[in-house]
Amino acid sequence: MKQKIKYIVGLVVVFLIGCTGTFLVVHFVPSMDTKETVKTVKEVSITESNKIKSAIEKVYDSVLVIKSYKGDRLVGTGTGFIYKKDSKLGYVITNHHVIEGASSIKVVNMDGQELDATVLGSDEYSDLAVLSMDVAGVMQVAILGESTKLDLGDTLFTVGSPMGEDYKGTVTKGILSGKDRTVSVQLNNSSFMMEVLQTDAAINPGNSGGPLVNINGEVIGVNSMKLVEDEIEGMGFAIPIEMVKNELENLEKGKKISRPLVGVNLVDANNTYALYYNDVRLSKEFEKGVAIASVEKEMPAEKAGLQKGDVILEINGTTINDSAHFRYLLYKYQVGDKIKIKYYRDGKVKETTLTLSKGIE
């Protein structure tokens, strides 16, 4: 009996093993008649939509190294670019601070040719200068575009000479990071605010005065390292080309840029030390505004009734933050324009109108 049971169990085990093997073969081992599915990977060609080779070619040879000398000593280098030429001269844009204080200037073109340059005109407030050079050294003339047509994120690039002549012709690429920015610039005896373009394209020492260029190869700004603080990284600033165009004619002719004058010395109304130093006593504290430290005789402020100790709060309805902001707003107007001044005196807010006269040159 036991033998019979073992026999039956053996048959059952063999049967199960056979079924299992058949199942595995059918489901996991393809037969000769089974069609194999093949995945085809299509070859993809990737091209960069914002490639800038052709744009670089439109501006590259217009860029120059600017070398400033005092006597025979090289005291600084920067960048400039040729924006026009005539039968005798090439005309170069660069920054004022690149050539400030130099007794002589030389330029180096992309072929390495070094030529003498002459300052035709220069302006500290706009940080712009125009130079002339022999037309024989002109390899290319840059095309001036329009910064107002740019959108945030548009591709931009610079061509310059960071760290001096050894790195002339360096190209850096980025995007337009910000429009209509205002930054404070420290001048010799005061501060000033400028409207600028912001980019993340690398702008290093030596790039100052070089072109900021759009994808079409048109110059839309003039780079300025003077606008970049030491602790800031990844932020470069450029003077919009529209501001540059506004001053080119006067600078080419060597004319001083005339800016309107009010006829006051100002200190920030929230600067306790400056108020004390200038003997200005205010009856309340101010977070914004500028206090008048002195008034010049026969000037617009005196004629309009402004006095020492008045705190100017607004120009034509715009709140004044500080003295740099005051100059920024003031220099938007022309000599002869009338402006409304709102000011604080003896616990009351008052208003007066003054006519701007010829001022800083």
Side-chain angles (χ1 to χ4, degrees):
M1 184 66 179
K2 290 182 179 180
Q3 291 294 330
K4 188 175 182 179
I5 293 172
K6 290 181 179 179
Y7 178 76
I8 293 172
V9 171
L11 288 175
V12 172
V13 170
V14 171
F15 176 78
L16 291 175
I17 292 173
C19 290
T20 302
T22 301
F23 175 83
L24 293 174
V25 169
V26 170
H27 287 275
F28 296 99
V29 181
S31 68
M32 296 299 291
D33 295 329
T34 301
K35 293 182 178 180
E36 185 177 49
T37 302
V38 179
K39 293 182 179 180
T40 302
V41 179
K42 187 177 180 180
E43 186 175 340
V44 179
S45 178
I46 300 175
T47 58
E48 185 179 0
S49 61
N50 60 351
K51 191 172 182 179
I52 62 173
K53 179 181 178 182
S54 60
I56 293 172
E57 291 173 347
K58 292 180 181 179
V59 70
Y60 191 81
D61 285 335
S62 72
V63 179
L64 306 165
V65 181
I66 310 295
K67 302 170 70 174
S68 296
Y69 290 85
K70 284 187 177 180
D72 295 329
R73 184 168 62 93
L74 178 66
V75 293
T77 63
T79 302
F81 61 95
I82 301 163
Y83 68 96
K84 79 171 190 178
K85 69 175 183 176
D86 56 29
S87 60
K88 296 181 178 180
L89 300 173
Y91 296 83
V92 181
I93 294 173
T94 188
N95 286 144
H96 166 84
H97 76 265
V98 169
I99 53 87
E100 185 177 16
S103 59
S104 64
I105 299 167
K106 294 184 181 296
V107 297
V108 182
N109 66 19
M110 285 301 179
D111 271 352
Q113 183 182 7
E114 185 171 278
L115 302 98
D116 293 327
T118 301
V119 178
L120 298 180
S122 189
D123 180 61
E124 181 182 25
Y125 280 87
S126 63
D127 197 25
L128 293 172
V130 170
L131 317 179
S132 65
M133 58 181 282
D134 193 313
V135 72
V138 175
M139 298 177 61
Q140 187 179 37
V141 176
I143 302 168
L144 304 186
E146 297 180 48
S147 70
T148 55
K149 293 183 177 180
L150 294 172
D151 294 317
L152 292 179
D154 281 356
T155 298
L156 302 175
F157 67 93
T158 72
V159 184
S161 49
M163 310 307 293
E165 188 176 352
D166 290 343
Y167 294 94
K168 75 174 186 290
T170 296
V171 177
T172 58
K173 176 183 169 186
I175 63 170
L176 179 66
S177 306
K179 299 176 69 173
D180 302 321
R181 300 294 200 213
T182 54
V183 294
S184 182
V185 184
Q186 191 63 40
L187 304 180
N188 291 331
N189 299 312
S190 62
S191 58
F192 179 58
M193 292 182 70
M194 293 180 64
E195 288 185 0
V196 294
L197 303 171
Q198 179 188 336
T199 180
D200 64 350
I203 298 177
N204 298 299
N207 278 117
S208 282
L212 183 64
V213 190
N214 66 19
I215 198 69
N216 296 319
E218 301 165 335
V219 180
I220 51 81
V222 177
N223 302 320
S224 180
M225 271 297 295
K226 189 179 181 72
L227 308 179
V228 182
E229 297 179 11
D230 292 340
E231 64 269 22
I232 295 178
E233 293 184 6
M235 290 175 64
F237 297 105
I239 304 160
I241 200 64
E242 289 77 12
M243 294 177 61
V244 179
K245 289 177 181 178
N246 287 340
E247 299 200 6
L248 282 182
E249 184 177 354
N250 285 330
L251 291 175
E252 285 174 12
K253 295 177 180 179
K255 291 183 178 180
K256 297 286 187 179
I257 306 299
S258 180
R259 293 184 172 85
L261 185 68
V262 172
V264 291
N265 290 317
L266 301 171
V267 295
D268 295 344
N270 61 4
N271 188 330
T272 305
Y273 174 78
L275 292 171
Y276 174 80
Y277 182 83
N278 287 278
D279 193 29
V280 176
R281 293 177 173 81
L282 304 179
S283 60
K284 58 174 286 188
E285 293 183 354
F286 292 86
E287 293 183 1
K288 297 182 178 182
V290 288
I292 298 177
S294 65
V295 180
E296 297 179 35
K297 293 186 178 297
E298 300 300 318
M299 296 302 291
E302 185 186 57
K303 293 177 181 179
L306 294 175
Q307 301 173 7
K308 178 177 179 177
D310 291 345
V311 177
I312 300 176
L313 305 174
E314 295 181 5
I315 292 180
N316 281 351
T318 301
T319 301
I320 305 299
N321 295 326
D322 51 30
S323 56
H325 189 220
F326 178 87
R327 293 184 186 90
Y328 164 72
L329 293 173
L330 182 65
Y331 295 164
K332 287 178 175 287
Y333 298 97
Q334 303 296 321
V335 173
D337 287 349
K338 294 181 182 295
I339 61 172
K340 288 184 178 180
I341 298 287
K342 187 174 286 187
Y343 63 98
Y344 175 90
R345 180 193 294 171
D346 298 332
K348 296 180 180 179
V349 176
K350 301 182 179 184
E351 190 174 278
T352 187
T353 300
L354 55 82
T355 302
L356 299 174
S357 66
K358 187 176 180 180
I360 297 174
E361 292 189 345

